[in-house]
Amino acid sequence: MAQESAPAEGGRDIPDDWLNDYSSYQQCFVCGQRNQHGLRTRYRQQGDRIITEFTGEPRHQGFPGVVHGGLISSLLDETMGRTALFERAWVMTGRLEVRYRKPAPIGELLTVSAWPTRVRGISVESLGEVRSADGELLADGKGLFLKVPEEVKRQAEIAHPEFSEYFNAGMPRDEG
């Protein structure tokens, strides 16, 4: 059985170039700045949380005037997955659960935040939420994120050699 460790504490800084992709790739649907059809989100650390903001446009709607639930889920997934960076781990989604509480209006700034809750040898569990500009909870989620398999890392490094800098950086952890 994998040894469990405590969730990440605030104060361990994650470099911006880990939170945001500045590589030649940048094609992720949620965060890729070069993906013309994507959401193009940017992330920041705030204490023990990862934060992004998103304003839905008419092209993002499901029901008239409402951000499509799949996009809300994608925003939570991407933000919660980034909490593994507190553990200096690259992960993929293993399980995702989203609870939609209220419709997310098009044209309104949404804030998505996430934080790790449990860390095990190969996985990180996280919670996340989407709030309106006035702080109302619109959706929340929980996820299980698993370390990226070595074969997937190798394929990424072949296509984009600069990824090896991320995968092999051995970013120092704040031990003190």
Side-chain angles (χ1 to χ4, degrees), residues 139-150:
D140 58 280
K142 64 181 177 178
L144 172 69
F145 300 88
L146 306 172
K147 287 187 180 175
V148 174
E150 289 304 315

Side-chain angles (χ1 to χ4, degrees), residues 1 25-26 37 47 86 99 101 107 153 170:
M1 180 179 221
Y25 175 64
Q26 296 187 36
H37 304 289
F86 283 112
R99 182 170 179 188
R101 297 178 179 271
K153 285 182 183 180

Side-chain angles (χ1 to χ4, degrees), residues 79-100:
T79 309
M80 289 189 296
R82 273 180 166 64
T83 67
L85 293 174
F86 283 112
E87 299 304 317
R88 307 328 193 215
W90 294 99
V91 296
M92 300 175 91
T93 308
R95 183 177 60 235
L96 178 66
E97 181 178 324
V98 177
R99 182 170 179 188
Y100 301 94

